[in-house]
Amino acid sequence: MILKYRSSPYLLFPLLKELGVRGMSVTMPLKEEIPGHSLPSCNTLNERGEVCNTDTPAIIELLESQITLKGKTGVLIGAGGVAKALVPALYDKGVQL
């Protein structure tokens, strides 16, 4: 089911719960505006209101399957939600940007 919605995803919970939906994907611009979490950007929200970013772990896993990240220097092109979530994760892995 695809819903285009331009307000807080939290307002959809009662409707989604009745429909049996247990989670949702959140896209721009809402992925940077969901309150109550410490992530720079989130793209997944479950029925309990918990948020996470699935982009960052996927990108880190892909990179680590090809190279050792620690001590590397990288260039990140972009300033959207994925970039905002990826920068701290790359720093945590020892990458200089």
Side-chain angles (χ1 to χ4, degrees), residues 52-87:
C52 70
N53 182 303
T54 58
D55 297 323
T56 299
I59 293 168
I60 294 293
E61 183 178 327
L62 175 66
L63 290 172
E64 288 182 324
S65 75
Q66 302 298 313
I67 61 172
T68 300
L69 292 176
K70 187 173 184 174
K72 295 288 193 283
T73 299
V75 175
L76 185 61
I77 300 172
V82 174
K84 289 177 183 171
L86 191 56
V87 166

Side-chain angles (χ1 to χ4, degrees), residues 17-86:
K17 198 163 195 152
E18 282 198 32
L19 294 173
V21 174
R22 297 184 57 200
M24 70 178 89
S25 174
V26 181
T27 60
M28 290 296 282
L30 299 176
K31 68 191 303 179
E32 293 179 3
E33 298 175 6
I34 294 179
H37 65 84
S38 61
L39 299 173
S41 173
C42 68
N43 66 351
T44 305
L45 182 61
N46 70 21
E47 79 241 14
R48 294 180 302 278
E50 300 165 336
V51 298
C52 70
N53 182 303
T54 58
D55 297 323
T56 299
I59 293 168
I60 294 293
E61 183 178 327
L62 175 66
L63 290 172
E64 288 182 324
S65 75
Q66 302 298 313
I67 61 172
T68 300
L69 292 176
K70 187 173 184 174
K72 295 288 193 283
T73 299
V75 175
L76 185 61
I77 300 172
V82 174
K84 289 177 183 171
L86 191 56

